[in-house]
Amino acid sequence: MARQFPTRSKPGADTSKATPTQRLFLALWPEDGVRAQLAAHASHWAWPAGGVRYLPADWHVTLHFIGNVGAGQVEGIAAGADVPFQPFALNLDQPQLWPHGLAVLCTAAVPPPLQALHDRLGQVLRGLGLPVETRPFQPHVTLARRAGAAAPPSAFAPVRWWVRRFALAVSTGDREQRYRVIRQYR
């Protein structure tokens, strides 16, 4: 069972009837072969002491961060996210250091079917009354946090991913397994 996160309330408010929430997101979830490619890529980085590397089980490409939702909303979100999409090739070929110490692997170009899936899911979320990120979509896999002093590899083989599925996932709050897939869509 997913860890339940309490809703936030005003100081002094009666929280005895607080509704449990889950911190959800939609993501591309790699299969074992893609995870192996990502692991090979990550092994070519020079990682600083104190950096927090993500475990291979936690690697994904976020499509939409949904955030905390009431447990009663999860099934509606899961059903609404069941949208058709065209499988596509995703080439992760741009290792980058982002602000706040994020080490990521990005794509040089967003494949049109990925952008279409992202847009379609955004429409579904808006239709459910959920907020949707307004910044441009930048598909990436986060490899590590607190890694501002990391050195990305200068030469490496791109990660080639044939995407045939995506997932609705929950943040667990557990360092050993940060995320858990609730439902997969093919």
Side-chain angles (χ1 to χ4, degrees), residues 123-173:
Q123 291 171 349
V124 166
L125 295 174
R126 279 189 288 280
L128 292 170
L130 297 167
V132 175
E133 178 66 56
T134 58
R135 291 180 292 186
F137 180 44
Q138 292 185 294
H140 65 279
V141 174
T142 301
L143 301 173
R145 294 190 181 280
R146 288 189 253 159
S154 57
F156 64 94
V159 172
R160 305 215 187 271
W161 183 353
W162 181 249
V163 178
R164 294 179 287 249
R165 63 183 179 158
F166 66 97
L168 176 63
V170 62
S171 295
T172 64

Side-chain angles (χ1 to χ4, degrees), residues 64-146:
H64 285 280
F65 175 71
I66 300 169
N68 288 335
V69 299
Q73 293 179 274
V74 174
E75 189 52 43
I77 294 168
D82 194 1
V83 300
F85 75 100
Q86 175 185 345
F88 55 90
L90 178 62
N91 293 316
L92 298 167
D93 55 3
Q94 302 292 311
Q96 296 178 5
L97 288 172
W98 282 6
H100 310 291
L102 291 179
V104 299
L105 183 58
C106 304
T107 183
V110 179
L114 173 54
Q115 187 65 57
L117 175 61
H118 178 266
D119 294 346
R120 190 171 299 120
L121 290 170
Q123 291 171 349
V124 166
L125 295 174
R126 279 189 288 280
L128 292 170
L130 297 167
V132 175
E133 178 66 56
T134 58
R135 291 180 292 186
F137 180 44
Q138 292 185 294
H140 65 279
V141 174
T142 301
L143 301 173
R145 294 190 181 280
R146 288 189 253 159

Side-chain angles (χ1 to χ4, degrees), residues 1-5 21-27 29 58 60 65 67-69 74 167-174 177-183:
M1 179 170 186
R3 180 174 171 199
Q4 303 291 307
F5 293 90
T21 63
Q22 294 185 357
R23 192 171 170 89
L24 302 180
F25 60 98
L26 292 161
W29 215 263
D58 293 331
H60 64 275
F65 175 71
N68 288 335
V69 299
V74 174
L168 176 63
V170 62
S171 295
T172 64
D174 181 357
Q177 182 185 6
R178 291 176 192 269
Y179 314 114
R180 184 178 54 79
V181 171
I182 295 174
R183 185 164 173 188

